[in-house]
Amino acid sequence: MTQPMATDLAACSSLDELYALLKPLQVGPGWSKPTPSLWPLPHSSFLPAHWSYEHAHAALSAAGRLINTELAERRNLILVNPLDGNEYATARTLVAAYQMIMPGERARSHRHSANALRLIVDAAPGTSTIVDGVALPMSVGDVLLTPNWAWHGHANDSSAPAYWIDFLDVPLIHLLEPMFLEQHPDTYEPVRDIASSSPAWFPWKLTEQRLADASVDPSGRFGRMVELGAPAMKTIALHMMMLKAGDATAGYQTTANNIYAVVSGEGRSIVDGTTFRWARGDVVVAPAWRAHHHEPDTDAVLLRVSDEPVLRGLDLLRQG
Ligand code: 1HN
């Protein structure tokens, strides 16, 4: 398209004529309705959703026969939010995935600018993540961090398949664009030490003790709650919530995205009017500004994974 003369622009006698001339200049009128950029309250886009560990476990068992760690960098199932057109993210800034590693397998070491963590759902002694050369043992209920640019690979020297849930800020990094990924020069990073403790490792045994000592959060939203890290990583906060059978939590609406993973127990989460039943290993997403609460049928523990540090850092965290 040829560009208009400045004199033609200046001489425009109608808005329609002006809009037509502005097009080839890649300029749009900021006052015109079709592309509003400001509105009074958040527009919720990502949808409330639930994923069952029973399904994921069965699908990963099949994948264990059908694909190996030579072919797959990671044998994982991405929890894709059902928002129309979305093919990857679980919420706007976060992605969650179920991952399985078979006995005797290794998952290659790599590092990336995305922050990651995993919650262990089923693992036998001898399973570990190697973070910057240090093996972190995996036990059920443990949370392991692999922050921005930390080398990480996985190894299963036990006799049982290991299952866990990964959480990453990949969609946020995609939005901002500084994604970098590097494969380890040795393919499998050599283990130089086995950790007995690490800032990147929250063993369930310690979390359980902290929860037993915690008092009930006065807001009523979280039951007994402890934070893992302060926050765990620059973009992701982690909270363990211990709920009592029959004690529904108070409603919670926040500009942060929350993904809940069930560490133990059974119950329901009601997210923006939709009820999801859950059991151990399940995942529920409450995207930004979707009001939600939990109704535990048994005593239950949930891991709350959120992008709160991002919203807080930008003065955008609002809760209702
Ligand atoms: C990743 O690097 C891992 O290292 C797991 O275990 C899940 C999902 C998306 C992108 C990278 C891992 C992932 C991932």
Side-chain angles (χ1 to χ4, degrees), residues 74 76 78 88 99 110 112 118 152 154 166 168 170:
R74 296 292 186 259
N76 57 14
I78 305 287
Y88 183 74
Q99 182 167 172
H110 65 200
H112 38 64
R118 41 217 113 250
H152 56 287
H154 316 301
D166 297 298
L168 300 95
V170 171

mmCIF file of all heavy atoms in Angstrom, residues 74 76 78 88 99 110 112 118 152 154 166 168 170, ligand 1:
data_model
loop_
_atom_site.group_PDB
_atom_site.id
_atom_site.type_symbol
_atom_site.label_atom_id
_atom_site.label_comp_id
_atom_site.label_asym_id
_atom_site.label_seq_id
_atom_site.Cartn_x
_atom_site.Cartn_y
_atom_site.Cartn_z
ATOM 1 N N ARG A 74 11.981 -35.126 27.741
ATOM 2 C CA ARG A 74 11.235 -35.397 28.969
ATOM 3 C C ARG A 74 9.983 -36.185 28.588
ATOM 4 O O ARG A 74 9.307 -35.831 27.623
ATOM 5 C CB ARG A 74 10.799 -34.090 29.650
ATOM 6 C CG ARG A 74 11.950 -33.204 30.140
ATOM 7 C CD ARG A 74 12.700 -33.824 31.286
ATOM 8 N NE ARG A 74 13.712 -32.938 31.851
ATOM 9 C CZ ARG A 74 15.026 -33.035 31.588
ATOM 10 N NH1 ARG A 74 15.496 -33.944 30.756
ATOM 11 N NH2 ARG A 74 15.870 -32.192 32.171
ATOM 12 N N ASN A 76 6.659 -36.300 29.414
ATOM 13 C CA ASN A 76 5.700 -35.557 30.233
ATOM 14 C C ASN A 76 4.425 -35.239 29.474
ATOM 15 O O ASN A 76 4.380 -35.273 28.244
ATOM 16 C CB ASN A 76 6.347 -34.290 30.816
ATOM 17 C CG ASN A 76 6.903 -33.369 29.752
ATOM 18 O OD1 ASN A 76 6.599 -33.523 28.583
ATOM 19 N ND2 ASN A 76 7.715 -32.415 30.154
ATOM 20 N N ILE A 78 1.579 -32.317 29.207
ATOM 21 C CA ILE A 78 1.338 -30.909 29.528
ATOM 22 C C ILE A 78 -0.142 -30.713 29.878
ATOM 23 O O ILE A 78 -1.025 -31.219 29.174
ATOM 24 C CB ILE A 78 1.693 -30.021 28.302
ATOM 25 C CG1 ILE A 78 3.143 -30.276 27.836
ATOM 26 C CG2 ILE A 78 1.434 -28.549 28.591
ATOM 27 C CD1 ILE A 78 4.207 -29.740 28.712
ATOM 28 N N TYR A 88 -0.878 -24.761 25.106
ATOM 29 C CA TYR A 88 0.258 -25.073 25.966
ATOM 30 C C TYR A 88 0.054 -24.676 27.430
ATOM 31 O O TYR A 88 0.159 -25.529 28.317
ATOM 32 C CB TYR A 88 1.506 -24.390 25.394
ATOM 33 C CG TYR A 88 2.776 -24.693 26.137
ATOM 34 C CD1 TYR A 88 3.374 -25.937 26.002
ATOM 35 C CD2 TYR A 88 3.342 -23.759 26.979
ATOM 36 C CE1 TYR A 88 4.541 -26.245 26.698
ATOM 37 C CE2 TYR A 88 4.510 -24.053 27.677
ATOM 38 C CZ TYR A 88 5.106 -25.287 27.528
ATOM 39 O OH TYR A 88 6.243 -25.581 28.208
ATOM 40 N N GLN A 99 5.064 -35.902 34.820
ATOM 41 C CA GLN A 99 6.252 -36.513 34.214
ATOM 42 C C GLN A 99 6.504 -37.882 34.858
ATOM 43 O O GLN A 99 6.261 -38.076 36.055
ATOM 44 C CB GLN A 99 7.473 -35.609 34.409
ATOM 45 C CG GLN A 99 8.727 -36.157 33.753
ATOM 46 C CD GLN A 99 9.896 -35.170 33.629
ATOM 47 O OE1 GLN A 99 10.987 -35.561 33.248
ATOM 48 N NE2 GLN A 99 9.668 -33.903 33.939
ATOM 49 N N HIS A 110 19.819 -30.397 31.248
ATOM 50 C CA HIS A 110 19.778 -29.145 30.482
ATOM 51 C C HIS A 110 19.540 -27.990 31.456
ATOM 52 O O HIS A 110 19.326 -28.208 32.650
ATOM 53 C CB HIS A 110 18.715 -29.210 29.366
ATOM 54 C CG HIS A 110 17.292 -29.321 29.836
ATOM 55 N ND1 HIS A 110 16.267 -29.788 29.044
ATOM 56 C CD2 HIS A 110 16.692 -29.020 31.020
ATOM 57 C CE1 HIS A 110 15.127 -29.768 29.708
ATOM 58 N NE2 HIS A 110 15.364 -29.311 30.904
ATOM 59 N N HIS A 112 17.668 -23.865 31.441
ATOM 60 C CA HIS A 112 16.907 -22.879 30.682
ATOM 61 C C HIS A 112 16.593 -21.681 31.563
ATOM 62 O O HIS A 112 16.716 -21.751 32.793
ATOM 63 C CB HIS A 112 15.642 -23.496 30.075
ATOM 64 C CG HIS A 112 14.930 -24.498 30.952
ATOM 65 N ND1 HIS A 112 14.365 -24.162 32.153
ATOM 66 C CD2 HIS A 112 14.714 -25.829 30.797
ATOM 67 C CE1 HIS A 112 13.806 -25.238 32.689
ATOM 68 N NE2 HIS A 112 14.020 -26.277 31.901
ATOM 69 N N ARG A 118 9.290 -29.219 40.917
ATOM 70 C CA ARG A 118 8.438 -30.405 40.836
ATOM 71 C C ARG A 118 7.972 -30.848 42.209
ATOM 72 O O ARG A 118 8.664 -30.671 43.211
ATOM 73 C CB ARG A 118 9.106 -31.547 40.069
ATOM 74 C CG ARG A 118 10.541 -31.784 40.322
ATOM 75 C CD ARG A 118 11.296 -32.205 39.037
ATOM 76 N NE ARG A 118 12.230 -31.180 38.629
ATOM 77 C CZ ARG A 118 12.102 -30.417 37.546
ATOM 78 N NH1 ARG A 118 11.086 -30.565 36.736
ATOM 79 N NH2 ARG A 118 12.975 -29.483 37.272
ATOM 80 N N HIS A 152 19.760 -29.244 35.280
ATOM 81 C CA HIS A 152 18.953 -30.280 35.929
ATOM 82 C C HIS A 152 18.691 -31.446 34.983
ATOM 83 O O HIS A 152 18.420 -31.273 33.799
ATOM 84 C CB HIS A 152 17.641 -29.723 36.471
ATOM 85 C CG HIS A 152 16.781 -29.029 35.452
ATOM 86 N ND1 HIS A 152 17.086 -27.787 34.944
ATOM 87 C CD2 HIS A 152 15.638 -29.403 34.841
ATOM 88 C CE1 HIS A 152 16.168 -27.438 34.075
ATOM 89 N NE2 HIS A 152 15.271 -28.403 33.975
ATOM 90 N N HIS A 154 17.274 -35.890 35.487
ATOM 91 C CA HIS A 154 16.623 -36.789 36.432
ATOM 92 C C HIS A 154 17.166 -38.203 36.271
ATOM 93 O O HIS A 154 17.572 -38.600 35.182
ATOM 94 C CB HIS A 154 15.106 -36.778 36.234
ATOM 95 C CG HIS A 154 14.521 -35.414 36.047
ATOM 96 N ND1 HIS A 154 14.652 -34.420 36.995
ATOM 97 C CD2 HIS A 154 13.837 -34.858 35.017
ATOM 98 C CE1 HIS A 154 14.049 -33.323 36.556
ATOM 99 N NE2 HIS A 154 13.552 -33.561 35.357
ATOM 100 N N ASP A 166 5.473 -31.236 37.295
ATOM 101 C CA ASP A 166 6.350 -30.096 37.035
ATOM 102 C C ASP A 166 5.522 -28.818 36.949
ATOM 103 O O ASP A 166 4.398 -28.840 36.431
ATOM 104 C CB ASP A 166 7.043 -30.246 35.673
ATOM 105 C CG ASP A 166 7.954 -31.451 35.595
ATOM 106 O OD1 ASP A 166 8.916 -31.497 36.362
ATOM 107 O OD2 ASP A 166 7.696 -32.339 34.756
ATOM 108 N N LEU A 168 6.285 -24.727 35.710
ATOM 109 C CA LEU A 168 7.285 -23.819 35.137
ATOM 110 C C LEU A 168 6.624 -22.496 34.766
ATOM 111 O O LEU A 168 5.411 -22.444 34.513
ATOM 112 C CB LEU A 168 7.910 -24.407 33.866
ATOM 113 C CG LEU A 168 8.641 -25.733 33.988
ATOM 114 C CD1 LEU A 168 7.722 -26.893 33.645
ATOM 115 C CD2 LEU A 168 9.864 -25.764 33.095
ATOM 116 N N VAL A 170 7.247 -21.012 31.975
ATOM 117 C CA VAL A 170 7.526 -20.907 30.527
ATOM 118 C C VAL A 170 6.594 -19.917 29.810
ATOM 119 O O VAL A 170 7.070 -19.088 29.031
ATOM 120 C CB VAL A 170 7.470 -22.302 29.852
ATOM 121 C CG1 VAL A 170 7.546 -22.175 28.338
ATOM 122 C CG2 VAL A 170 8.605 -23.190 30.358
HETATM 123 C C1 1HN B 1 11.314 -29.257 31.599
HETATM 124 O O1 1HN B 1 12.544 -28.828 31.338
HETATM 125 C C2 1HN B 1 11.084 -30.280 32.523
HETATM 126 O O2 1HN B 1 13.358 -30.450 33.151
HETATM 127 C C3 1HN B 1 9.812 -30.688 32.794
HETATM 128 O O3 1HN B 1 12.001 -31.942 33.896
HETATM 129 C C4 1HN B 1 8.721 -30.131 32.159
HETATM 130 C C5 1HN B 1 7.801 -28.567 30.564
HETATM 131 C C6 1HN B 1 7.985 -27.582 29.640
HETATM 132 C C7 1HN B 1 9.256 -27.134 29.321
HETATM 133 C C8 1HN B 1 10.378 -27.669 29.961
HETATM 134 C C9 1HN B 1 12.247 -30.931 33.245
HETATM 135 C C10 1HN B 1 8.898 -29.126 31.213
HETATM 136 C C11 1HN B 1 10.201 -28.680 30.916
#
